[in-house]
Amino acid sequence: MIGKYFAKGGHVRKDVLLGIGDDAAVTKVPVGQCVVTTTDTLVEGVHFLPGTAAESIAHKAVAVNLSDLAAMGAEPAWISLSLSLPSIDESWVKAFSEKIHSLSHYFSFQLIGGDTVQGPLSITITAQGFIPDNNQITRSGAGPGDWLLVTGSLGDAGVGLDLLKNKIKVSNPEHASYLKNRHCFPTPRVLAGTTLRRVATSCIDISDGLVQDLKQVISRSNVGALVHLDKLPISEAIRANIENVTDVITYAATAGDDYELLFTVPEEQRVHIETALASYDIRVTCIGQITGATGKIDLRLNEKSFEFESNKLGFEHFA
């Protein structure tokens, strides 16, 4: 199976000296570069619904890892794949592997090895990328006065998931398709991440929800944050189909799986980064500011203090 579906067809890099076929891969790191490493696991019934298409599972498994690299400002280089399958379904494996290869060509990474095992359907990917020495972006550099910005739009993946679960209905077929695709085929903001190097003071990708992930930043940076909920970037697909304003805000602020970048920049860099990302046709929105109120997130809607009814403000890994 490995030889037939995974060893050939993907992107080939010159820095991979020995790839799939031996007990381990051998790679070479360019001079002046550091290796950034991340690992994510996707489990059926937890991270994707039973019956999800192989192409979507493959895309998401890769995208969530590349999103982590993007949040650090790294460029993708290599991935390793550990695949647990209940049985070998040739058509499923073919579709899954072809999507991995397609993404490898688009993002210029190489699949260099991994493992296969029989068991419940789950996918673990370890992704590695390069970043120039001392250019990594962390969660711990935000300071009072920094502006808080986010790429793309928020809440789409959460609405898409509820559509797939038949919890809500969207009458417009184009909107429904867009929202489902935002959940099944998230966009890792690799170009945005590399653009933020030397500019952003902190960064995190939004995997568990805006508020939940913002907590990570203010905790690591020992700061607080002011968030204007009415400034959150929300797609027309959500605005046109969800009438209740509170529901719209809840999706945008607490739903996970958007994989947009949440980052902070100092005053003198704000216009520069907005212009730079706009030149790449990457939407970026300022949603608030970092404060000195350590550990506190001040949520406001139309300048009034706002609190969510539920205490659950994002995805919880061990609920």
Side-chain angles (χ1 to χ4, degrees):
M1 182 178 70
I2 294 172
K4 183 176 181 179
Y5 294 109
F6 294 102
K8 299 177 182 178
H11 182 69
V12 177
R13 294 176 59 98
K14 292 182 180 180
D15 49 32
V16 178
L17 306 183
L18 193 63
I20 296 173
D22 282 81
D23 288 308
V26 180
T27 56
K28 190 171 184 178
V29 182
V31 175
Q33 299 283 314
C34 293
V35 177
V36 181
T37 303
T38 184
T39 300
D40 264 298
T41 297
L42 270 64
V43 179
E44 184 179 44
V46 178
H47 303 98
F48 57 90
L49 298 174
T52 297
E55 296 90 342
S56 174
I57 298 171
H59 180 104
K60 193 169 185 179
V62 170
V64 300
N65 279 275
L66 299 193
S67 182
D68 282 336
L69 293 182
M72 303 292 292
E75 299 180 43
W78 318 309
I79 71 167
S80 299
L81 166 68
S82 180
L83 181 60
S84 172
L85 293 170
S87 62
I88 296 179
D89 179 335
E90 294 269 346
S91 62
W92 190 99
V93 175
K94 183 175 185 292
F96 181 90
S97 62
E98 287 179 348
K99 173 55 75 170
I100 296 284
H101 293 325
S102 173
L103 291 169
S104 78
H105 288 296
Y106 186 85
F107 289 104
S108 299
F109 65 79
Q110 183 172 340
L111 175 63
I112 60 173
D115 190 23
T116 55
V117 64
Q118 185 172 24
L121 181 58
S122 68
I123 300 92
T124 296
I125 286 181
T126 294
Q128 295 174 302
F130 297 146
I131 192 168
D133 289 344
N134 301 314
N135 272 248
Q136 66 271 14
I137 315 169
T138 69
R139 302 176 182 181
S140 58
D146 286 352
W147 293 104
L148 187 64
L149 298 98
V150 65
T151 61
S153 56
L154 301 178
D156 294 332
V159 177
L161 177 60
D162 281 351
L163 270 173
L164 291 167
K165 289 181 173 181
N166 295 315
K167 288 186 174 182
I168 60 174
K169 292 183 179 180
V170 170
S171 57
N172 185 310
E174 290 186 6
H175 287 168
S177 177
Y178 165 82
L179 293 166
K180 290 177 182 177
N181 281 335
R182 285 278 285 163
H183 174 76
C184 295
F185 299 94
T187 302
R189 298 295 185 178
V190 174
L191 182 56
T194 56
T195 305
L196 292 174
R197 291 194 306 229
R198 304 186 188 90
V199 178
T201 52
S202 69
C203 187
I204 190 172
D205 73 324
I206 302 176
S207 56
D208 297 336
L210 172 69
V211 175
Q212 195 86 311
D213 290 317
L214 179 57
K215 288 180 180 179
Q216 301 292 333
V217 173
I218 66 170
S219 173
R220 292 292 301 276
S221 297
N222 294 313
V223 294
L226 168 64
V227 178
H228 296 284
L229 297 173
D230 48 293
K231 302 292 186 182
L232 300 186
I234 298 167
S235 67
E236 177 60 24
I238 289 182
R239 292 189 184 278
N241 294 281
I242 299 180
E243 297 180 358
N244 188 289
V245 174
T246 300
D247 289 343
V248 171
I249 294 298
T250 300
Y251 275 118
T254 68
D257 279 353
D258 281 319
Y259 297 100
E260 298 293 349
L261 296 184
L262 174 68
F263 61 96
T264 57
V265 295
E267 170 67 35
E268 62 271 19
Q269 294 287 359
R270 177 179 167 183
V271 173
H272 165 73
I273 199 61
E274 289 176 335
T275 302
L277 292 177
S279 70
Y280 294 125
D281 199 27
I282 299 173
R283 180 183 181 183
V284 61
T285 306
C286 182
I287 62 170
Q289 199 164 21
I290 298 298
T291 70
T294 303
K296 180 182 179 182
I297 299 179
D298 182 4
L299 300 175
R300 296 185 189 178
L301 182 61
N302 299 321
E303 299 301 330
K304 295 182 180 180
S305 181
F306 183 90
E307 290 187 10
F308 290 98
E309 294 182 2
S310 172
N311 290 325
K312 186 177 180 181
L313 300 180
F315 178 76
E316 297 177 3
H317 292 261
F318 293 91

